[in-house]
Amino acid sequence: MACLLARSSAKKGGLSQPPREPLGLPAGAFECVCGDALPALRQLAGLPTNTDRRSRGGRGRGGGRGGDRRASGRGGGGASSLAPRLRQRAFDVVVLDPPTWTKTAAGAVDLVRDYQSLFKPCVLAARPGGTVLAVNHVASVELDEWVDSLERCAKKAGRPLEDVTVLPPEQDYPSPDGKHPLKMALARVAAG
């Protein structure tokens, strides 16, 4: 997970302007935050990051040897290599399309067991009435169970979902057993 697109008018703090009119949208509508997506998502949602915990003396998730050196800025990488410092913001649309499994400096993410750790900051970063486009590529995860887990996660985070619309895969994305590994849902956060 290396890059996150976010709507913003800021020009500093790790944000840079992407090429003109991406996807036909007006120039300046999107800016690119380059870095590890999980710490960026957590910051945008107003949640503490592993580097925040380490800088306060805690180990954070996956702490241990080497973690404190990287978080303190002494030695390779530094906290800024995980994600630039971002302020909490609310977005109309948040897109969550993580790889099935990844391991980064911020920790490992396994979508079978950890999808909620990614979905929660997305729900918290979406404004009331906003939408999270959630995508899951894991074949062993059943669609109904995944949608239920999204609803439970949002409710537990204090941001219940008003509606979840499942988007079926295109016809050219076949599945021999009819259970597509690609699952997509538009999750609308309750307005208040």
Side-chain angles (χ1 to χ4, degrees):
M1 295 184 302
C3 195
L4 168 73
L5 287 177
R7 183 177 175 95
S8 171
S9 59
K11 300 289 183 197
K12 59 183 180 177
L15 299 176
S16 61
Q17 199 67 27
R20 288 182 227 143
E21 301 192 28
L23 306 174
L25 298 169
F30 285 83
E31 295 187 33
C32 186
V33 178
C34 293
D36 195 312
L38 187 55
L41 281 171
R42 293 187 62 82
Q43 289 179 60
L44 292 168
L47 297 170
T49 64
N50 289 342
T51 57
D52 293 338
R53 289 186 206 122
R54 289 181 191 128
S55 67
R56 290 192 310 260
R59 285 178 48 184
R61 184 176 177 217
R65 286 183 265 169
D68 293 330
R69 184 183 71 175
R70 195 176 295 135
S72 68
R74 293 172 292 170
S80 63
S81 68
L82 299 177
R85 281 286 174 205
L86 303 169
R87 63 179 171 79
Q88 181 178 357
R89 289 179 278 187
F91 299 92
D92 296 326
V93 178
V94 177
V95 178
L96 175 60
D97 186 6
T100 303
W101 189 90
T102 187
K103 185 172 182 177
T104 70
V109 175
D110 173 3
L111 293 191
V112 174
R113 292 184 279 286
D114 296 335
Y115 199 89
Q116 293 79 6
S117 69
L118 298 172
F119 187 69
K120 177 183 176 180
C122 291
V123 167
L124 294 174
R127 69 166 176 75
T131 301
V132 177
L133 168 57
V135 180
N136 190 319
H137 302 271
V138 180
S140 65
V141 173
E142 294 290 330
L143 176 64
D144 292 338
E145 292 174 16
W146 178 65
V147 170
D148 288 344
S149 74
L150 299 180
E151 291 173 334
R152 282 192 315 272
C153 179
K155 185 176 181 182
K156 188 175 177 180
R159 303 290 304 278
L161 300 178
E162 185 174 303
D163 182 53
V164 177
T165 303
V166 173
L167 304 173
E170 294 293 326
Q171 294 293 335
D172 63 345
Y173 194 82
S175 175
D177 62 359
K179 296 181 179 182
H180 292 276
L182 175 61
K183 292 165 277 302
M184 302 175 288
L186 290 173
R188 191 169 61 236
V189 178

